[in-house]
Amino acid sequence: MASRQKAKQKFPNFINIRQWLNFLKTYLVALFVVSASALKRLLRTISNHRNSLLVLLLLLVLTLVTFAAIVPGTHTFEGNLTFKEMSFIYNGQQPKLFLQNIRGIKELENEGRQTLTFTGNFESETWSELNQLDSLKIQLKDSDSRWIIAPANLQTTSDINLDELRLQPNTKVAGLSYDFYRNQLAFSLQSNSKSDLKSNQNTLELYLGEQPIKVIVEGYEFLDLKLPNQPDKQTPLEFIVNPNNKKFNLEIAPSTNIYITLVKPPKYESEQWFREKIQTKDVKFLDLDRNGKDARDDLKISTIVEGKIRMVGQEQDIKLNQFLMGENPDTPLNIELIRHLQIVPKKGIEARFSGKTKEIQIGLDQDFPVSQIQGSWLDGVLPRDAIIALFSFGAATVANLLSWFFSNASKSASKP
């Protein structure tokens, strides 16, 4: 007896562990019995209300389909516009060929800071000192400076050609337009802050031809040249040069305006001027009227002449001077790619483009658009006709199912 008491005192924790295990076994058995009972009850309920559950499941599916047919989704759009003026930012990662093969240039004018180097035989009536030179380096000092080149003899066929103009990433092309009265293509280039590096500058390649050319320069100073009678800063410099460097390569300043006047109106050759597939952002077909005294008086004017735009099987015409907008009236449509540009005689410039958006808005007033194109999430999965048919079927089916469900529920509630 004494030995048993000693053993219990020696192993007191063993008894507590055995009691805890017995309690746990009893709890698990009770839990299993309750769970089995609840599962049987649930299965019995499902068996008794099988039709109701199927109706609820079908209602859920139809509700999700209806929701997907209503919620706006992002879709690809495409369109073509004829415009008088446009602007965009080149959004590619590598330098992009923008203009090429413009032949028969009557006059080319460039405004902005620039360094020009001519080599060849010079002739100047104003500054005879230039006649002794074989090279001349000129610096255009500010944004108002400009230089013009043209054939010295306007009676001869112009040999001046624009071989190519390349854009650096993030370069903004603004005021792109064509004046049919002057036969003049005009635009400005505004580069990002990194473009002050030579490797990041937009480049223009000209072919000056075999004939002498006339050069006019305003707002300049000579580099590496001192004249006895230094010309007045306000006096334009004019001279004729028979160039040795037939290929004239320019690294364009970060902000510059370019005007290209042609000998004759372009026809089919303009289709080859603009390089296709230009990645873009912030594309606008707008002109800003700054005639007011205050910046708040500025007016945005649409430069659209005509066009069409398509998305998710819907198409809208765009009329003269209507605005083309994205999801918000204050934001331009998200045009990501300009696929083609060309001159349309007597109308303007035509652009074919594509991009992605949730909504397209059109109207004469940006604040009150009259036409919209919007696609749902389901438009990206099914054709438009199939969605309309499915939506009509779902609406009718949901009404019938709800009627049946509430009628069946009332009958079940009335039973004792």
Side-chain angles (χ1 to χ4, degrees):
M1 188 68 179
S3 62
R4 287 182 180 180
Q5 292 292 336
K6 289 181 180 180
K8 288 181 179 181
Q9 292 175 0
K10 189 173 182 180
F11 303 101
N13 293 333
F14 176 76
I15 298 175
N16 294 335
I17 293 172
R18 186 170 62 181
Q19 290 176 349
W20 184 82
L21 290 174
N22 289 334
F23 171 78
L24 181 61
K25 182 174 69 174
T26 303
Y27 177 78
L28 291 176
V29 170
L31 180 62
F32 176 78
V33 172
V34 172
S35 299
S37 177
L39 181 60
K40 289 179 180 179
R41 194 179 301 110
L42 177 62
L43 293 174
R44 192 181 303 113
T45 302
I46 292 174
S47 178
N48 294 335
H49 299 85
R50 183 181 304 169
N51 292 336
S52 298
L53 289 174
L54 289 176
V55 169
L56 287 175
L57 181 61
L58 185 57
L59 279 172
L60 178 61
V61 172
L62 291 175
T63 300
L64 291 176
V65 170
T66 303
F67 187 74
I70 295 175
V71 174
T74 300
H75 299 282
T76 300
F77 65 85
E78 64 177 8
N80 60 284
L81 286 177
T82 303
F83 59 88
K84 296 178 182 177
E85 183 177 324
M86 79 172 298
S87 65
F88 64 87
I89 296 176
Y90 170 54
N91 198 34
Q93 301 299 317
Q94 300 295 328
K96 172 67 177 180
L97 179 60
F98 175 52
L99 282 175
Q100 62 180 353
N101 300 329
I102 301 181
R103 308 301 183 191
I105 295 177
K106 178 181 178 181
E107 182 178 281
L108 188 145
E109 178 180 343
N110 183 202
E111 294 179 351
R113 292 184 176 89
Q114 184 68 61
T115 300
L116 306 174
T117 302
F118 295 96
T119 60
N121 299 319
F122 294 86
E123 180 182 342
S124 175
E125 296 180 359
T126 307
W127 304 101
S128 58
E129 292 87 351
L130 301 183
N131 300 341
Q132 310 301 320
L133 302 177
D134 56 11
S135 177
L136 180 62
K137 194 170 186 180
I138 305 171
Q139 183 176 23
L140 281 70
K141 300 182 297 182
D142 50 48
S143 58
D144 294 328
S145 300
R146 68 172 185 155
W147 60 277
I148 301 171
I149 60 172
N153 185 357
L154 296 179
Q155 305 303 319
T156 61
T157 302
S158 174
D159 290 339
I160 302 175
N161 302 326
L162 187 151
D163 286 344
E164 65 175 48
L165 170 61
R166 292 188 177 271
L167 301 178
Q168 294 291 329
N170 293 321
T171 296
K172 180 177 182 179
V173 179
L176 178 63
S177 62
Y178 191 87
D179 186 332
F180 290 95
Y181 179 76
R182 299 180 180 178
N183 293 328
Q184 185 181 83
L185 178 68
F187 55 92
S188 67
L189 300 180
Q190 302 165 16
S191 303
N192 60 356
S193 59
K194 296 181 180 179
S195 292
D196 56 346
L197 300 176
K198 288 188 176 181
S199 60
N200 289 328
Q201 285 184 315
N202 301 309
T203 56
L204 175 66
E205 293 186 8
L206 298 174
Y207 174 72
L208 300 181
E210 302 297 330
Q211 304 297 325
I213 62 172
K214 180 173 67 174
V215 181
I216 301 174
V217 186
E218 297 178 3
Y220 65 95
E221 64 181 6
F222 293 120
L223 297 179
D224 306 327
L225 176 65
K226 292 184 180 180
L227 298 178
N229 298 317
Q230 194 71 17
D232 185 84
K233 295 181 180 179
Q234 304 300 325
T235 304
L237 173 67
E238 183 174 334
F239 59 89
I240 293 175
V241 58
N242 191 0
N244 293 335
N245 50 336
K246 307 302 182 183
K247 292 283 188 179
F248 198 66
N249 298 329
L250 292 173
E251 293 175 341
I252 300 176
S255 180
T256 186
N257 300 322
I258 297 176
Y259 305 90
I260 304 171
T261 304
L262 303 177
V263 173
K264 59 182 181 179
K267 293 183 179 179
Y268 303 108
E269 62 267 20
S270 70
E271 296 182 8
Q272 307 298 324
W273 287 1
F274 300 95
R275 193 63 176 172
E276 297 187 345
K277 295 186 178 180
I278 305 171
Q279 299 177 35
T280 58
K281 64 180 180 180
D282 198 28
V283 179
K284 297 177 181 178
F285 302 95
L286 297 173
D287 184 24
L288 197 61
D289 184 353
R290 299 182 180 273
N291 289 332
K293 297 180 180 180
D294 195 303
R296 292 172 295 182
D297 298 327
D298 293 347
L299 295 177
K300 293 180 180 178
I301 301 174
S302 171
T303 61
I304 293 174
V305 176
E306 61 183 9
K308 292 181 181 291
I309 194 161
R310 295 164 290 276
M311 186 174 76
V312 293
Q314 304 177 59
E315 182 177 278
Q316 287 284 353
D317 290 331
I318 306 172
K319 304 298 184 181
L320 179 66
N321 297 135
Q322 283 190 318
F323 291 92
L324 183 61
M325 300 158 284
E327 302 170 36
N328 300 313
D330 294 333
T331 59
L333 187 62
N334 182 35
I335 297 175
E336 299 177 347
L337 185 70
I338 296 178
R339 305 190 62 86
H340 183 75
L341 287 168
Q342 74 175 75
I343 307 297
V344 179
K346 299 181 180 180
K347 288 187 176 181
I349 304 177
E350 182 189 36
R352 303 172 198 166
F353 53 82
S354 61
K356 292 183 179 180
T357 187
K358 289 185 177 179
E359 184 178 8
I360 300 171
Q361 302 187 74
I362 304 167
L364 285 172
D365 193 312
Q366 285 185 295
D367 297 323
F368 302 100
V370 296
S371 301
Q372 293 89 18
I373 299 179
Q374 190 176 54
S376 67
W377 181 86
L378 207 57
D379 277 297
V381 180
L382 296 174
R384 191 70 180 176
D385 293 340
I387 293 174
I388 294 174
L390 183 61
F391 187 80
S392 301
F393 169 79
T397 304
V398 167
N400 292 329
L401 289 177
L402 286 175
S403 176
W404 179 90
F405 182 79
F406 286 115
S407 175
N408 189 65
S410 299
K411 291 178 182 180
S412 299
S414 62
K415 291 181 181 181

